[in-house]
PDB file of all heavy atoms in Angstrom:
ATOM      1  N   TYR A1419     -13.020   6.489   0.967  1.00  0.00           N
ATOM      2  CA  TYR A1419     -12.934   6.409  -0.496  1.00  0.00           C
ATOM      3  C   TYR A1419     -12.642   5.001  -1.022  1.00  0.00           C
ATOM      4  O   TYR A1419     -12.518   4.819  -2.238  1.00  0.00           O
ATOM      5  CB  TYR A1419     -11.855   7.357  -1.012  1.00  0.00           C
ATOM      6  CG  TYR A1419     -12.192   8.815  -0.781  1.00  0.00           C
ATOM      7  CD1 TYR A1419     -11.567   9.542   0.225  1.00  0.00           C
ATOM      8  CD2 TYR A1419     -13.155   9.450  -1.566  1.00  0.00           C
ATOM      9  CE1 TYR A1419     -11.878  10.874   0.442  1.00  0.00           C
ATOM     10  CE2 TYR A1419     -13.465  10.788  -1.350  1.00  0.00           C
ATOM     11  CZ  TYR A1419     -12.831  11.487  -0.338  1.00  0.00           C
ATOM     12  OH  TYR A1419     -13.154  12.809  -0.123  1.00  0.00           O
ATOM     13  N   LEU A1420     -12.559   4.001  -0.139  1.00  0.00           N
ATOM     14  CA  LEU A1420     -12.349   2.640  -0.608  1.00  0.00           C
ATOM     15  C   LEU A1420     -13.534   2.197  -1.469  1.00  0.00           C
ATOM     16  O   LEU A1420     -14.684   2.295  -1.054  1.00  0.00           O
ATOM     17  CB  LEU A1420     -12.180   1.685   0.574  1.00  0.00           C
ATOM     18  CG  LEU A1420     -11.841   0.238   0.222  1.00  0.00           C
ATOM     19  CD1 LEU A1420     -10.465   0.154  -0.422  1.00  0.00           C
ATOM     20  CD2 LEU A1420     -11.910  -0.656   1.469  1.00  0.00           C
ATOM     21  N   GLY A1421     -13.253   1.707  -2.645  1.00  0.00           N
ATOM     22  CA  GLY A1421     -14.290   1.309  -3.582  1.00  0.00           C
ATOM     23  C   GLY A1421     -14.700   2.390  -4.553  1.00  0.00           C
ATOM     24  O   GLY A1421     -15.463   2.135  -5.496  1.00  0.00           O
ATOM     25  N   SER A1422     -14.188   3.616  -4.365  1.00  0.00           N
ATOM     26  CA  SER A1422     -14.506   4.722  -5.272  1.00  0.00           C
ATOM     27  C   SER A1422     -13.451   4.839  -6.361  1.00  0.00           C
ATOM     28  O   SER A1422     -12.424   4.156  -6.342  1.00  0.00           O
ATOM     29  CB  SER A1422     -14.602   6.032  -4.487  1.00  0.00           C
ATOM     30  OG  SER A1422     -13.322   6.420  -4.013  1.00  0.00           O
ATOM     31  N   SER A1423     -13.670   5.742  -7.298  1.00  0.00           N
ATOM     32  CA  SER A1423     -12.721   5.950  -8.390  1.00  0.00           C
ATOM     33  C   SER A1423     -11.425   6.594  -7.904  1.00  0.00           C
ATOM     34  O   SER A1423     -10.407   6.537  -8.594  1.00  0.00           O
ATOM     35  CB  SER A1423     -13.355   6.816  -9.478  1.00  0.00           C
ATOM     36  OG  SER A1423     -13.763   8.079  -8.939  1.00  0.00           O
ATOM     37  N   LEU A1424     -11.449   7.214  -6.717  1.00  0.00           N
ATOM     38  CA  LEU A1424     -10.237   7.852  -6.201  1.00  0.00           C
ATOM     39  C   LEU A1424      -9.159   6.810  -5.906  1.00  0.00           C
ATOM     40  O   LEU A1424      -7.985   7.012  -6.240  1.00  0.00           O
ATOM     41  CB  LEU A1424     -10.559   8.646  -4.935  1.00  0.00           C
ATOM     42  CG  LEU A1424      -9.359   9.363  -4.295  1.00  0.00           C
ATOM     43  CD1 LEU A1424      -8.864  10.484  -5.200  1.00  0.00           C
ATOM     44  CD2 LEU A1424      -9.732   9.924  -2.921  1.00  0.00           C
ATOM     45  N   LEU A1425      -9.546   5.699  -5.316  1.00  0.00           N
ATOM     46  CA  LEU A1425      -8.598   4.626  -5.033  1.00  0.00           C
ATOM     47  C   LEU A1425      -8.615   3.539  -6.098  1.00  0.00           C
ATOM     48  O   LEU A1425      -7.645   2.791  -6.230  1.00  0.00           O
ATOM     49  CB  LEU A1425      -8.885   4.015  -3.654  1.00  0.00           C
ATOM     50  CG  LEU A1425      -8.684   4.962  -2.463  1.00  0.00           C
ATOM     51  CD1 LEU A1425      -8.959   4.239  -1.153  1.00  0.00           C
ATOM     52  CD2 LEU A1425      -7.285   5.558  -2.451  1.00  0.00           C
ATOM     53  N   GLY A1426      -9.720   3.408  -6.823  1.00  0.00           N
ATOM     54  CA  GLY A1426      -9.753   2.537  -8.003  1.00  0.00           C
ATOM     55  C   GLY A1426      -9.947   1.062  -7.689  1.00  0.00           C
ATOM     56  O   GLY A1426     -10.928   0.461  -8.088  1.00  0.00           O
ATOM     57  N   VAL A1427      -8.996   0.451  -6.995  1.00  0.00           N
ATOM     58  CA  VAL A1427      -9.032  -0.981  -6.689  1.00  0.00           C
ATOM     59  C   VAL A1427      -8.926  -1.145  -5.176  1.00  0.00           C
ATOM     60  O   VAL A1427      -8.047  -0.531  -4.558  1.00  0.00           O
ATOM     61  CB  VAL A1427      -7.872  -1.732  -7.380  1.00  0.00           C
ATOM     62  CG1 VAL A1427      -7.869  -3.200  -7.013  1.00  0.00           C
ATOM     63  CG2 VAL A1427      -7.949  -1.549  -8.890  1.00  0.00           C
ATOM     64  N   PRO A1428      -9.846  -1.937  -4.571  1.00  0.00           N
ATOM     65  CA  PRO A1428     -10.915  -2.758  -5.160  1.00  0.00           C
ATOM     66  C   PRO A1428     -12.114  -1.921  -5.583  1.00  0.00           C
ATOM     67  O   PRO A1428     -12.228  -0.748  -5.215  1.00  0.00           O
ATOM     68  CB  PRO A1428     -11.281  -3.703  -4.021  1.00  0.00           C
ATOM     69  CG  PRO A1428     -11.012  -2.904  -2.787  1.00  0.00           C
ATOM     70  CD  PRO A1428      -9.792  -2.081  -3.105  1.00  0.00           C
ATOM     71  N   SER A1429     -12.997  -2.565  -6.337  1.00  0.00           N
ATOM     72  CA  SER A1429     -14.188  -1.879  -6.835  1.00  0.00           C
ATOM     73  C   SER A1429     -15.367  -2.833  -6.779  1.00  0.00           C
ATOM     74  O   SER A1429     -15.354  -3.808  -6.040  1.00  0.00           O
ATOM     75  CB  SER A1429     -13.933  -1.379  -8.265  1.00  0.00           C
ATOM     76  OG  SER A1429     -13.557  -2.445  -9.105  1.00  0.00           O
ATOM     77  N   GLU A1430     -16.394  -2.553  -7.563  1.00  0.00           N
ATOM     78  CA  GLU A1430     -17.538  -3.443  -7.761  1.00  0.00           C
ATOM     79  C   GLU A1430     -18.485  -3.515  -6.570  1.00  0.00           C
ATOM     80  O   GLU A1430     -19.056  -4.541  -6.269  1.00  0.00           O
ATOM     81  CB  GLU A1430     -17.078  -4.857  -8.143  1.00  0.00           C
ATOM     82  CG  GLU A1430     -16.232  -4.876  -9.405  1.00  0.00           C
ATOM     83  CD  GLU A1430     -15.873  -6.283  -9.839  1.00  0.00           C
ATOM     84  OE1 GLU A1430     -16.464  -7.237  -9.300  1.00  0.00           O
ATOM     85  OE2 GLU A1430     -15.014  -6.425 -10.720  1.00  0.00           O
ATOM     86  N   GLY A1431     -18.679  -2.392  -5.846  1.00  0.00           N
ATOM     87  CA  GLY A1431     -19.790  -2.285  -4.916  1.00  0.00           C
ATOM     88  C   GLY A1431     -19.527  -2.715  -3.490  1.00  0.00           C
ATOM     89  O   GLY A1431     -18.448  -3.189  -3.134  1.00  0.00           O
ATOM     90  N   GLU A1432     -20.553  -2.531  -2.669  1.00  0.00           N
ATOM     91  CA  GLU A1432     -20.451  -2.772  -1.237  1.00  0.00           C
ATOM     92  C   GLU A1432     -20.248  -4.244  -0.903  1.00  0.00           C
ATOM     93  O   GLU A1432     -19.530  -4.587   0.031  1.00  0.00           O
ATOM     94  CB  GLU A1432     -21.697  -2.237  -0.522  1.00  0.00           C
ATOM     95  CG  GLU A1432     -21.860  -0.718  -0.633  1.00  0.00           C
ATOM     96  CD  GLU A1432     -23.075  -0.228   0.126  1.00  0.00           C
ATOM     97  OE1 GLU A1432     -23.758  -1.074   0.743  1.00  0.00           O
ATOM     98  OE2 GLU A1432     -23.336   0.996   0.108  1.00  0.00           O
ATOM     99  N   GLU A1433     -20.905  -5.134  -1.635  1.00  0.00           N
ATOM    100  CA  GLU A1433     -20.746  -6.556  -1.365  1.00  0.00           C
ATOM    101  C   GLU A1433     -19.301  -6.996  -1.543  1.00  0.00           C
ATOM    102  O   GLU A1433     -18.805  -7.840  -0.805  1.00  0.00           O
ATOM    103  CB  GLU A1433     -21.667  -7.378  -2.277  1.00  0.00           C
ATOM    104  CG  GLU A1433     -23.150  -7.213  -1.980  1.00  0.00           C
ATOM    105  CD  GLU A1433     -23.499  -7.683  -0.576  1.00  0.00           C
ATOM    106  OE1 GLU A1433     -22.908  -8.691  -0.104  1.00  0.00           O
ATOM    107  OE2 GLU A1433     -24.346  -7.042   0.062  1.00  0.00           O
ATOM    108  N   ARG A1434     -18.644  -6.417  -2.516  1.00  0.00           N
ATOM    109  CA  ARG A1434     -17.234  -6.736  -2.763  1.00  0.00           C
ATOM    110  C   ARG A1434     -16.374  -6.276  -1.587  1.00  0.00           C
ATOM    111  O   ARG A1434     -15.441  -6.970  -1.163  1.00  0.00           O
ATOM    112  CB  ARG A1434     -16.775  -6.055  -4.060  1.00  0.00           C
ATOM    113  CG  ARG A1434     -15.259  -6.127  -4.320  1.00  0.00           C
ATOM    114  CD  ARG A1434     -14.885  -7.481  -4.851  1.00  0.00           C
ATOM    115  NE  ARG A1434     -13.480  -7.545  -5.182  1.00  0.00           N
ATOM    116  CZ  ARG A1434     -12.540  -8.082  -4.390  1.00  0.00           C
ATOM    117  NH1 ARG A1434     -12.887  -8.590  -3.227  1.00  0.00           N
ATOM    118  NH2 ARG A1434     -11.282  -8.119  -4.755  1.00  0.00           N
ATOM    119  N   LEU A1435     -16.678  -5.101  -1.034  1.00  0.00           N
ATOM    120  CA  LEU A1435     -15.857  -4.543   0.029  1.00  0.00           C
ATOM    121  C   LEU A1435     -16.036  -5.278   1.353  1.00  0.00           C
ATOM    122  O   LEU A1435     -15.152  -5.221   2.215  1.00  0.00           O
ATOM    123  CB  LEU A1435     -16.192  -3.048   0.214  1.00  0.00           C
ATOM    124  CG  LEU A1435     -15.944  -2.145  -1.003  1.00  0.00           C
ATOM    125  CD1 LEU A1435     -16.294  -0.708  -0.666  1.00  0.00           C
ATOM    126  CD2 LEU A1435     -14.509  -2.252  -1.477  1.00  0.00           C
ATOM    127  N   LYS A1436     -17.144  -5.965   1.510  1.00  0.00           N
ATOM    128  CA  LYS A1436     -17.384  -6.691   2.755  1.00  0.00           C
ATOM    129  C   LYS A1436     -16.378  -7.821   2.964  1.00  0.00           C
ATOM    130  O   LYS A1436     -16.054  -8.161   4.104  1.00  0.00           O
ATOM    131  CB  LYS A1436     -18.802  -7.249   2.770  1.00  0.00           C
ATOM    132  CG  LYS A1436     -19.886  -6.183   2.938  1.00  0.00           C
ATOM    133  CD  LYS A1436     -21.274  -6.822   2.975  1.00  0.00           C
ATOM    134  CE  LYS A1436     -22.358  -5.758   3.135  1.00  0.00           C
ATOM    135  NZ  LYS A1436     -23.714  -6.351   3.157  1.00  0.00           N
ATOM    136  N   CYS A1437     -15.907  -8.403   1.875  1.00  0.00           N
ATOM    137  CA  CYS A1437     -14.934  -9.494   1.986  1.00  0.00           C
ATOM    138  C   CYS A1437     -13.501  -9.027   1.754  1.00  0.00           C
ATOM    139  O   CYS A1437     -12.596  -9.853   1.602  1.00  0.00           O
ATOM    140  CB  CYS A1437     -15.289 -10.618   1.000  1.00  0.00           C
ATOM    141  SG  CYS A1437     -15.304 -10.106  -0.725  1.00  0.00           S
ATOM    142  N   TRP A1438     -13.278  -7.710   1.681  1.00  0.00           N
ATOM    143  CA  TRP A1438     -11.935  -7.178   1.464  1.00  0.00           C
ATOM    144  C   TRP A1438     -11.184  -7.131   2.795  1.00  0.00           C
ATOM    145  O   TRP A1438     -11.638  -6.522   3.753  1.00  0.00           O
ATOM    146  CB  TRP A1438     -12.006  -5.786   0.843  1.00  0.00           C
ATOM    147  CG  TRP A1438     -10.679  -5.203   0.483  1.00  0.00           C
ATOM    148  CD1 TRP A1438     -10.016  -4.207   1.121  1.00  0.00           C
ATOM    149  CD2 TRP A1438      -9.840  -5.585  -0.608  1.00  0.00           C
ATOM    150  NE1 TRP A1438      -8.825  -3.941   0.512  1.00  0.00           N
ATOM    151  CE2 TRP A1438      -8.691  -4.774  -0.560  1.00  0.00           C
ATOM    152  CE3 TRP A1438      -9.961  -6.540  -1.616  1.00  0.00           C
ATOM    153  CZ2 TRP A1438      -7.667  -4.891  -1.487  1.00  0.00           C
ATOM    154  CZ3 TRP A1438      -8.927  -6.654  -2.541  1.00  0.00           C
ATOM    155  CH2 TRP A1438      -7.802  -5.836  -2.469  1.00  0.00           C
ATOM    156  N   PRO A1439     -10.004  -7.762   2.905  1.00  0.00           N
ATOM    157  CA  PRO A1439      -9.276  -7.784   4.186  1.00  0.00           C
ATOM    158  C   PRO A1439      -8.835  -6.380   4.593  1.00  0.00           C
ATOM    159  O   PRO A1439      -8.466  -5.561   3.750  1.00  0.00           O
ATOM    160  CB  PRO A1439      -8.065  -8.670   3.892  1.00  0.00           C
ATOM    161  CG  PRO A1439      -8.411  -9.424   2.643  1.00  0.00           C
ATOM    162  CD  PRO A1439      -9.321  -8.530   1.865  1.00  0.00           C
ATOM    163  N   PRO A1440      -8.842  -6.082   5.882  1.00  0.00           N
ATOM    164  CA  PRO A1440      -8.369  -4.767   6.348  1.00  0.00           C
ATOM    165  C   PRO A1440      -6.861  -4.634   6.193  1.00  0.00           C
ATOM    166  O   PRO A1440      -6.124  -5.629   6.184  1.00  0.00           O
ATOM    167  CB  PRO A1440      -8.789  -4.748   7.825  1.00  0.00           C
ATOM    168  CG  PRO A1440      -8.853  -6.193   8.209  1.00  0.00           C
ATOM    169  CD  PRO A1440      -9.326  -6.928   6.986  1.00  0.00           C
ATOM    170  N   LEU A1441      -6.402  -3.403   6.093  1.00  0.00           N
ATOM    171  CA  LEU A1441      -4.970  -3.144   5.990  1.00  0.00           C
ATOM    172  C   LEU A1441      -4.292  -3.425   7.325  1.00  0.00           C
ATOM    173  O   LEU A1441      -4.810  -3.070   8.387  1.00  0.00           O
ATOM    174  CB  LEU A1441      -4.709  -1.693   5.576  1.00  0.00           C
ATOM    175  CG  LEU A1441      -5.219  -1.236   4.211  1.00  0.00           C
ATOM    176  CD1 LEU A1441      -4.821   0.207   3.958  1.00  0.00           C
ATOM    177  CD2 LEU A1441      -4.706  -2.129   3.102  1.00  0.00           C
ATOM    178  N   GLN A1442      -3.125  -4.070   7.239  1.00  0.00           N
ATOM    179  CA  GLN A1442      -2.331  -4.335   8.434  1.00  0.00           C
ATOM    180  C   GLN A1442      -0.910  -3.835   8.210  1.00  0.00           C
ATOM    181  O   GLN A1442      -0.374  -3.945   7.102  1.00  0.00           O
ATOM    182  CB  GLN A1442      -2.327  -5.826   8.768  1.00  0.00           C
ATOM    183  CG  GLN A1442      -3.698  -6.360   9.173  1.00  0.00           C
ATOM    184  CD  GLN A1442      -3.647  -7.813   9.589  1.00  0.00           C
ATOM    185  OE1 GLN A1442      -2.582  -8.404   9.724  1.00  0.00           O
ATOM    186  NE2 GLN A1442      -4.808  -8.411   9.781  1.00  0.00           N
ATOM    187  N   PRO A1443      -0.261  -3.295   9.249  1.00  0.00           N
ATOM    188  CA  PRO A1443       1.024  -2.612   9.060  1.00  0.00           C
ATOM    189  C   PRO A1443       2.244  -3.494   9.320  1.00  0.00           C
ATOM    190  O   PRO A1443       2.182  -4.481  10.042  1.00  0.00           O
ATOM    191  CB  PRO A1443       0.952  -1.490  10.101  1.00  0.00           C
ATOM    192  CG  PRO A1443       0.179  -2.101  11.233  1.00  0.00           C
ATOM    193  CD  PRO A1443      -0.820  -3.046  10.595  1.00  0.00           C
ATOM    194  N   VAL A1444       3.352  -3.068   8.716  1.00  0.00           N
ATOM    195  CA  VAL A1444       4.682  -3.628   8.978  1.00  0.00           C
ATOM    196  C   VAL A1444       5.658  -2.467   9.024  1.00  0.00           C
ATOM    197  O   VAL A1444       5.697  -1.643   8.089  1.00  0.00           O
ATOM    198  CB  VAL A1444       5.111  -4.640   7.885  1.00  0.00           C
ATOM    199  CG1 VAL A1444       6.556  -5.088   8.122  1.00  0.00           C
ATOM    200  CG2 VAL A1444       4.186  -5.841   7.862  1.00  0.00           C
ATOM    201  N   ASN A1445       6.441  -2.360  10.090  1.00  0.00           N
ATOM    202  CA  ASN A1445       7.401  -1.275  10.231  1.00  0.00           C
ATOM    203  C   ASN A1445       8.710  -1.631   9.528  1.00  0.00           C
ATOM    204  O   ASN A1445       9.187  -2.768   9.606  1.00  0.00           O
ATOM    205  CB  ASN A1445       7.669  -0.973  11.698  1.00  0.00           C
ATOM    206  CG  ASN A1445       6.478  -0.326  12.383  1.00  0.00           C
ATOM    207  OD1 ASN A1445       5.600   0.248  11.732  1.00  0.00           O
ATOM    208  ND2 ASN A1445       6.429  -0.416  13.703  1.00  0.00           N
ATOM    209  N   LEU A1446       9.308  -0.631   8.880  1.00  0.00           N
ATOM    210  CA  LEU A1446      10.539  -0.809   8.121  1.00  0.00           C
ATOM    211  C   LEU A1446      11.526   0.305   8.469  1.00  0.00           C
ATOM    212  O   LEU A1446      11.129   1.422   8.822  1.00  0.00           O
ATOM    213  CB  LEU A1446      10.267  -0.805   6.614  1.00  0.00           C
ATOM    214  CG  LEU A1446       9.231  -1.806   6.083  1.00  0.00           C
ATOM    215  CD1 LEU A1446       8.905  -1.513   4.629  1.00  0.00           C
ATOM    216  CD2 LEU A1446       9.735  -3.240   6.231  1.00  0.00           C
ATOM    217  N   ARG A1447      12.810  -0.004   8.303  1.00  0.00           N
ATOM    218  CA  ARG A1447      13.856   0.986   8.587  1.00  0.00           C
ATOM    219  C   ARG A1447      15.022   0.756   7.634  1.00  0.00           C
ATOM    220  O   ARG A1447      15.429  -0.387   7.390  1.00  0.00           O
ATOM    221  CB  ARG A1447      14.330   0.866  10.043  1.00  0.00           C
ATOM    222  CG  ARG A1447      15.441   1.838  10.436  1.00  0.00           C
ATOM    223  CD  ARG A1447      15.939   1.502  11.832  1.00  0.00           C
ATOM    224  NE  ARG A1447      17.078   2.335  12.220  1.00  0.00           N
ATOM    225  CZ  ARG A1447      16.991   3.461  12.921  1.00  0.00           C
ATOM    226  NH1 ARG A1447      15.799   3.884  13.321  1.00  0.00           N
ATOM    227  NH2 ARG A1447      18.079   4.148  13.240  1.00  0.00           N
ATOM    228  N   THR A1448      15.583   1.847   7.090  1.00  0.00           N
ATOM    229  CA  THR A1448      16.718   1.744   6.187  1.00  0.00           C
ATOM    230  C   THR A1448      17.568   2.997   6.275  1.00  0.00           C
ATOM    231  O   THR A1448      17.179   3.990   6.922  1.00  0.00           O
ATOM    232  CB  THR A1448      16.242   1.521   4.731  1.00  0.00           C
ATOM    233  OG1 THR A1448      17.368   1.273   3.890  1.00  0.00           O
ATOM    234  CG2 THR A1448      15.485   2.721   4.210  1.00  0.00           C
ATOM    235  N   HIS A1449      18.718   2.974   5.611  1.00  0.00           N
ATOM    236  CA  HIS A1449      19.637   4.111   5.578  1.00  0.00           C
ATOM    237  C   HIS A1449      19.945   4.453   4.130  1.00  0.00           C
ATOM    238  O   HIS A1449      20.138   3.562   3.302  1.00  0.00           O
ATOM    239  CB  HIS A1449      20.952   3.802   6.302  1.00  0.00           C
ATOM    240  CG  HIS A1449      20.804   3.562   7.761  1.00  0.00           C
ATOM    241  ND1 HIS A1449      20.345   2.369   8.274  1.00  0.00           N
ATOM    242  CD2 HIS A1449      21.065   4.370   8.828  1.00  0.00           C
ATOM    243  CE1 HIS A1449      20.328   2.444   9.595  1.00  0.00           C
ATOM    244  NE2 HIS A1449      20.758   3.640   9.958  1.00  0.00           N
ATOM    245  N   CYS A1450      20.020   5.743   3.828  1.00  0.00           N
ATOM    246  CA  CYS A1450      20.411   6.192   2.483  1.00  0.00           C
ATOM    247  C   CYS A1450      21.919   6.401   2.436  1.00  0.00           C
ATOM    248  O   CYS A1450      22.531   6.859   3.412  1.00  0.00           O
ATOM    249  CB  CYS A1450      19.696   7.490   2.122  1.00  0.00           C
ATOM    250  SG  CYS A1450      17.932   7.247   1.803  1.00  0.00           S
ATOM    251  N   HIS A1451      22.510   6.050   1.307  1.00  0.00           N
ATOM    252  CA  HIS A1451      23.962   6.158   1.159  1.00  0.00           C
ATOM    253  C   HIS A1451      24.366   7.210   0.132  1.00  0.00           C
ATOM    254  O   HIS A1451      25.487   7.703   0.175  1.00  0.00           O
ATOM    255  CB  HIS A1451      24.542   4.809   0.727  1.00  0.00           C
ATOM    256  CG  HIS A1451      24.059   3.660   1.564  1.00  0.00           C
ATOM    257  ND1 HIS A1451      24.402   3.521   2.888  1.00  0.00           N
ATOM    258  CD2 HIS A1451      23.265   2.613   1.274  1.00  0.00           C
ATOM    259  CE1 HIS A1451      23.851   2.425   3.383  1.00  0.00           C
ATOM    260  NE2 HIS A1451      23.148   1.858   2.419  1.00  0.00           N
ATOM    261  N   ASN A1452      23.465   7.548  -0.782  1.00  0.00           N
ATOM    262  CA  ASN A1452      23.827   8.434  -1.886  1.00  0.00           C
ATOM    263  C   ASN A1452      22.568   9.125  -2.381  1.00  0.00           C
ATOM    264  O   ASN A1452      21.570   8.467  -2.668  1.00  0.00           O
ATOM    265  CB  ASN A1452      24.475   7.625  -3.017  1.00  0.00           C
ATOM    266  CG  ASN A1452      25.066   8.501  -4.100  1.00  0.00           C
ATOM    267  OD1 ASN A1452      24.681   9.657  -4.271  1.00  0.00           O
ATOM    268  ND2 ASN A1452      26.008   7.950  -4.846  1.00  0.00           N
ATOM    269  N   LYS A1453      22.603  10.451  -2.491  1.00  0.00           N
ATOM    270  CA  LYS A1453      21.415  11.188  -2.913  1.00  0.00           C
ATOM    271  C   LYS A1453      21.118  11.005  -4.398  1.00  0.00           C
ATOM    272  O   LYS A1453      20.058  11.405  -4.868  1.00  0.00           O
ATOM    273  CB  LYS A1453      21.568  12.669  -2.590  1.00  0.00           C
ATOM    274  CG  LYS A1453      22.685  13.370  -3.364  1.00  0.00           C
ATOM    275  CD  LYS A1453      22.751  14.844  -2.986  1.00  0.00           C
ATOM    276  CE  LYS A1453      23.844  15.569  -3.761  1.00  0.00           C
ATOM    277  NZ  LYS A1453      23.894  17.011  -3.413  1.00  0.00           N
ATOM    278  N   LEU A1454      22.056  10.422  -5.150  1.00  0.00           N
ATOM    279  CA  LEU A1454      21.852  10.187  -6.573  1.00  0.00           C
ATOM    280  C   LEU A1454      21.460   8.740  -6.874  1.00  0.00           C
ATOM    281  O   LEU A1454      21.371   8.360  -8.034  1.00  0.00           O
ATOM    282  CB  LEU A1454      23.128  10.534  -7.359  1.00  0.00           C
ATOM    283  CG  LEU A1454      23.601  11.983  -7.262  1.00  0.00           C
ATOM    284  CD1 LEU A1454      24.888  12.174  -8.056  1.00  0.00           C
ATOM    285  CD2 LEU A1454      22.522  12.946  -7.752  1.00  0.00           C
ATOM    286  N   GLU A1455      21.215   7.976  -5.812  1.00  0.00           N
ATOM    287  CA  GLU A1455      20.902   6.561  -6.013  1.00  0.00           C
ATOM    288  C   GLU A1455      19.966   6.096  -4.906  1.00  0.00           C
ATOM    289  O   GLU A1455      20.183   6.386  -3.729  1.00  0.00           O
ATOM    290  CB  GLU A1455      22.194   5.737  -6.001  1.00  0.00           C
ATOM    291  CG  GLU A1455      22.005   4.280  -6.315  1.00  0.00           C
ATOM    292  CD  GLU A1455      23.332   3.564  -6.441  1.00  0.00           C
ATOM    293  OE1 GLU A1455      24.318   4.210  -6.852  1.00  0.00           O
ATOM    294  OE2 GLU A1455      23.389   2.354  -6.121  1.00  0.00           O
ATOM    295  N   SER A1456      18.923   5.381  -5.282  1.00  0.00           N
ATOM    296  CA  SER A1456      17.977   4.866  -4.290  1.00  0.00           C
ATOM    297  C   SER A1456      18.667   3.836  -3.408  1.00  0.00           C
ATOM    298  O   SER A1456      19.509   3.064  -3.870  1.00  0.00           O
ATOM    299  CB  SER A1456      16.769   4.247  -4.982  1.00  0.00           C
ATOM    300  OG  SER A1456      16.078   5.211  -5.764  1.00  0.00           O
ATOM    301  N   CYS A1457      18.283   3.814  -2.139  1.00  0.00           N
ATOM    302  CA  CYS A1457      18.939   2.911  -1.197  1.00  0.00           C
ATOM    303  C   CYS A1457      18.204   1.584  -1.056  1.00  0.00           C
ATOM    304  O   CYS A1457      18.820   0.568  -0.716  1.00  0.00           O
ATOM    305  CB  CYS A1457      19.052   3.572   0.174  1.00  0.00           C
ATOM    306  SG  CYS A1457      17.470   4.021   0.930  1.00  0.00           S
ATOM    307  N   ALA A1458      16.891   1.564  -1.309  1.00  0.00           N
ATOM    308  CA  ALA A1458      16.121   0.337  -1.147  1.00  0.00           C
ATOM    309  C   ALA A1458      14.764   0.500  -1.812  1.00  0.00           C
ATOM    310  O   ALA A1458      14.318   1.616  -2.104  1.00  0.00           O
ATOM    311  CB  ALA A1458      15.952  -0.010   0.333  1.00  0.00           C
ATOM    312  N   ASP A1459      14.113  -0.630  -2.057  1.00  0.00           N
ATOM    313  CA  ASP A1459      12.741  -0.671  -2.566  1.00  0.00           C
ATOM    314  C   ASP A1459      11.823  -1.212  -1.480  1.00  0.00           C
ATOM    315  O   ASP A1459      12.155  -2.208  -0.826  1.00  0.00           O
ATOM    316  CB  ASP A1459      12.611  -1.581  -3.795  1.00  0.00           C
ATOM    317  CG  ASP A1459      13.353  -1.060  -5.009  1.00  0.00           C
ATOM    318  OD1 ASP A1459      13.584   0.157  -5.077  1.00  0.00           O
ATOM    319  OD2 ASP A1459      13.706  -1.875  -5.881  1.00  0.00           O
ATOM    320  N   VAL A1460      10.683  -0.570  -1.300  1.00  0.00           N
ATOM    321  CA  VAL A1460       9.635  -1.131  -0.458  1.00  0.00           C
ATOM    322  C   VAL A1460       8.680  -1.866  -1.393  1.00  0.00           C
ATOM    323  O   VAL A1460       7.918  -1.250  -2.143  1.00  0.00           O
ATOM    324  CB  VAL A1460       8.889  -0.046   0.333  1.00  0.00           C
ATOM    325  CG1 VAL A1460       7.775  -0.678   1.174  1.00  0.00           C
ATOM    326  CG2 VAL A1460       9.856   0.720   1.220  1.00  0.00           C
ATOM    327  N   VAL A1461       8.743  -3.204  -1.383  1.00  0.00           N
ATOM    328  CA  VAL A1461       7.910  -4.025  -2.254  1.00  0.00           C
ATOM    329  C   VAL A1461       6.541  -4.190  -1.598  1.00  0.00           C
ATOM    330  O   VAL A1461       6.447  -4.580  -0.429  1.00  0.00           O
ATOM    331  CB  VAL A1461       8.557  -5.396  -2.506  1.00  0.00           C
ATOM    332  CG1 VAL A1461       7.682  -6.253  -3.414  1.00  0.00           C
ATOM    333  CG2 VAL A1461       9.940  -5.218  -3.119  1.00  0.00           C
ATOM    334  N   LEU A1462       5.491  -3.905  -2.354  1.00  0.00           N
ATOM    335  CA  LEU A1462       4.124  -3.981  -1.859  1.00  0.00           C
ATOM    336  C   LEU A1462       3.362  -5.016  -2.665  1.00  0.00           C
ATOM    337  O   LEU A1462       2.305  -4.745  -3.232  1.00  0.00           O
ATOM    338  CB  LEU A1462       3.462  -2.609  -1.931  1.00  0.00           C
ATOM    339  CG  LEU A1462       4.181  -1.524  -1.119  1.00  0.00           C
ATOM    340  CD1 LEU A1462       3.666  -0.142  -1.462  1.00  0.00           C
ATOM    341  CD2 LEU A1462       4.060  -1.782   0.373  1.00  0.00           C
ATOM    342  N   SER A1463       3.929  -6.190  -2.739  1.00  0.00           N
ATOM    343  CA  SER A1463       3.368  -7.334  -3.455  1.00  0.00           C
ATOM    344  C   SER A1463       2.926  -6.932  -4.852  1.00  0.00           C
ATOM    345  O   SER A1463       3.646  -6.231  -5.552  1.00  0.00           O
ATOM    346  CB  SER A1463       2.220  -7.959  -2.670  1.00  0.00           C
ATOM    347  OG  SER A1463       1.776  -9.146  -3.293  1.00  0.00           O
TER     348      SER A1463
END
């Protein structure tokens, strides 16, 4: 569904997707301290 309306961005056809970088992972770990308060934000640029 990359390039379709389901994911939305990026768009503008197959030529656009050819230069789109592949997804690469980063592992994260955290601990929650309170169910009424978020413990951390995962920032995705």
